[in-house]
Amino acid sequence: MSKRIEIKNLDIYYDKFKAVEDVNMVIEPKSVTAFIGPSGCGKSTVLRTLNRMHEVIPKAWVDGEVLLDGDDLYGQGVDPVNVRRQVGMVFQRPNPFPTMSIKENVLAGVRLNNRRISNKDAAELVEKSLRGANLWNEVKDRLDAPGGGLSGGQQQRLCIARAIAVKPDVLLMDEPCSALDPISTLAIEDLIHELKTEYTIVIVTHNMQQATRVSDRTGFFNIAGTGKPGKLIEFDDTRNIFENPQNKQTQDYVTGRFG
Ligand SMILES: Nc1ncnc2c1ncn2[C@@H]1O[C@H](COP(=O)(O)OP(=O)(O)O)[C@@H](O)[C@H]1O
Ligand SMILES: [Mg+2]
């Protein structure tokens, strides 16, 4: 089930360094939100706070709230493992387990969550997840072959299948196409378009065409200089960000007059 994310007064730190300051945004269910901005402005950092992956880094911490359908992910007694089950993540480089079979790769997240699952249910879940990731037809005859034998674009779709197999509410993607060729990139973009009927999706991209192609809303982040915290400068419908930005910094960035 797709859920609404609300970020409130969020400051994000690496030890004493404040990497991102005072983020406030609402991300609606069944929509795609893109994060854009120059390298180092904190896009990945913000993304990782949405499933409590940020704090995996030693001495990393946050101040503020991230609400998922009203419940604070950082509230007392909230189990980060449970959060990561609800909010899945796909990374820049496809990271399937290379020697593990395609089928077991899809089930890896489910097995990690310690869910006992019958062979019949497992087979059904594998098919459903691979279909959901637009990969089924390409791999249905070699489910027992190693995941590492797939092309880069197929591996990324395998990682998406693994992420959706645990039935999350939200999917986070950090530059999921940056290691892919243009054809595989389009396949992932089509997939993102289909997945948004079921999930809340947040994607970091350095490719502005990609942001315009896949997202409904876009957040532009920027930094004033080295050592300064990144900030969310403007957040609006993607169309407005690219065609009618309200902020001069956004305008400079989207028209390529940056730096
Ligand atoms: N693991 C880390 N430890 C310390 N600082 C980090 C770490 N990861 C990122 N940073 C810093 O946080 C800031 C934002 O980085 P990042 O979120 O990776 O930016 P972006 O994804 O927009 O390129 C940068 O100044 C970066 O150096
Ligand atoms: Mg990044």
Side-chain angles (χ1 to χ4, degrees):
M1 197 187 67
S2 182
K3 286 190 176 168
R4 178 179 193 267
I5 303 170
E6 186 171 1
I7 305 174
K8 280 180 156 175
N9 308 321
L10 189 68
D11 296 324
I12 315 174
Y13 295 84
Y14 293 97
D15 199 2
K16 289 180 189 94
F17 172 55
K18 190 196 273 185
V20 182
E21 185 171 76
D22 200 27
V23 178
N24 289 279
M25 67 198 314
V26 171
I27 297 172
E28 297 295 345
K30 301 192 178 189
S31 72
V32 179
T33 297
F35 288 176
I36 62 167
S39 177
C41 67
K43 305 177 295 296
S44 298
T45 298
V46 174
L47 197 74
R48 286 194 298 261
T49 62
L50 305 184
N51 74 343
R52 296 195 57 170
M53 285 287 281
H54 176 65
E55 67 207 58
V56 168
I57 298 155
K59 298 194 178 167
W61 59 288
V62 306
D63 185 25
E65 289 174 31
V66 178
L67 309 175
L68 193 63
D69 269 4
D71 296 325
D72 189 3
L73 299 185
Y74 290 91
Q76 258 200 338
V78 174
D79 178 1
V81 174
N82 201 28
V83 171
R84 289 172 207 139
R85 197 172 300 159
Q86 293 175 73
V87 185
M89 186 138 184
V90 174
F91 299 88
Q92 211 162 334
R93 304 216 150 256
N95 59 348
F97 301 103
T99 57
M100 196 184 262
S101 70
I102 291 168
K103 181 174 114 199
E104 284 304 318
N105 261 290
V106 176
L107 295 170
V110 181
R111 300 227 195 271
L112 260 181
N113 288 340
N114 251 339
R115 249 178 62 203
R116 293 212 138 268
I117 179 166
S118 71
N119 286 341
K120 181 167 165 287
D121 288 351
E124 278 174 18
L125 183 60
V126 167
E127 176 169 347
K128 185 161 183 281
S129 307
L130 287 169
R131 281 191 189 280
N134 276 345
L135 187 57
W136 174 250
N137 286 332
E138 289 158 67
V139 301
K140 63 179 183 222
D141 300 322
R142 48 170 166 156
L143 294 175
D144 293 313
L150 298 175
S151 73
Q154 290 172 328
Q155 288 188 16
Q156 195 60 303
R157 279 178 283 146
L158 180 59
C159 293
I160 293 171
R162 180 175 64 190
I164 61 183
V166 299
K167 303 187 172 77
D169 304 309
V170 179
L171 272 181
L172 310 176
M173 303 188 178
D174 195 349
E175 302 197 23
C177 302
S178 64
L180 305 183
D181 62 83
I183 304 282
S184 308
T185 296
L186 287 180
I188 300 281
E189 289 180 4
D190 284 346
L191 174 57
I192 290 170
H193 203 76
E194 286 169 24
L195 290 173
K196 87 167 177 185
T197 59
E198 278 183 74
Y199 304 96
T200 312
I201 298 175
V202 187
I203 176 173
V204 171
T205 178
H206 62 254
N207 179 329
M208 293 200 256
Q209 282 74 39
Q210 178 163 76
T212 60
R213 284 192 300 258
V214 302
S215 72
D216 303 294
R217 307 262 297 164
T218 294
F220 168 64
F221 291 83
N222 203 1
I223 23 169
T226 343
K228 298 265 174 47
K231 288 185 184 176
L232 176 62
I233 303 297
E234 191 166 348
F235 180 44
D236 204 340
D237 289 349
T238 296
R239 222 166 180 221
N240 290 339
I241 291 288
F242 287 95
E243 290 173 16
N244 188 23
Q246 298 304 298
N247 188 289
K248 173 84 169 45
Q249 293 178 55
T250 315
Q251 189 174 13
D252 286 351
Y253 188 76
V254 300
T255 55
R257 259 180 286 136
F258 187 80

